[in-house]
Amino acid sequence: MRFMIQVRATDVSERGEPPGPEYAKLFEEMGAFHEEMARAGVLLDGAGLRPSRDGWRQRYDADGRREVVDGPFAETKELIAGYTLIQVRSEEEARAWASRFPMPFVGMACEIEVRRLYEDADFAPGGDMAIRSE
């Protein structure tokens, strides 16, 4: 099972300013945590994301027309500042790793969100992408 631990964006991450010295301990903790996950064989990937001003959204109308909207995006609480992708044997194991995830921002309320990824086994055989009913 693969899970994505999403670090939700804040006003600080959206400013895109270089982190101050107060973040040195956090970066050390986050690096050590990712190294521990790598040694345990559960870490697949992890990275911080640049602010939404460096990105865009592509919207699709019901008729298939596309519209590109450049960032930044106003609703910070709906944005992701970074992610860690893990592969574990169970949801309980994912919860255990997430419970040890370092607090991603210094001195402010923040949150992570954990979401399971779809796997090939979740879909009907034959590659038709139909969701299996269990």
Side-chain angles (χ1 to χ4, degrees):
M1 296 178 171
R2 293 177 300 162
F3 289 84
M4 179 180 281
I5 302 169
Q6 301 172 10
V7 175
R8 305 308 291 190
T10 66
D11 291 338
V12 169
S13 64
E14 277 297 289
R15 281 198 298 267
E17 299 167 355
E22 70 276 11
Y23 276 83
K25 182 179 179 203
L26 171 62
F27 288 158
E28 192 175 299
E29 289 174 3
M30 192 66 75
F33 185 64
H34 277 85
E35 285 177 20
E36 182 180 354
M37 288 190 294
R39 283 192 305 275
V42 301
L43 180 66
L44 297 176
D45 193 18
L49 300 175
R50 295 180 62 97
S52 67
R53 71 171 179 253
D54 295 340
W56 63 92
R57 291 180 177 166
Q58 187 163 303
R59 294 188 179 137
Y60 299 86
D61 291 338
D63 64 3
R65 285 182 295 151
R66 300 170 190 202
E67 175 188 10
V68 174
V69 179
D70 291 327
F73 307 114
E75 289 296 323
T76 301
K77 65 183 178 192
E78 297 178 5
L79 301 175
I80 300 169
Y83 70 94
T84 299
L85 188 61
I86 59 174
Q87 185 165 15
V88 295
R89 291 177 296 277
S90 66
E91 180 179 323
E92 293 75 25
E93 186 179 358
R95 286 179 180 272
W97 283 107
S99 72
R100 297 179 47 223
F101 199 89
M103 184 176 172
F105 292 95
V106 175
M108 69 177 60
C110 53
E111 68 181 27
I112 64 172
E113 178 180 332
V114 182
R115 304 270 302 273
R116 185 174 171 193
L117 279 67
Y118 280 111
E119 305 290 349
D120 289 343
D122 294 322
F123 299 98
D128 63 3
M129 297 297 288
I131 302 285
R132 284 182 186 253
S133 58
E134 295 186 43

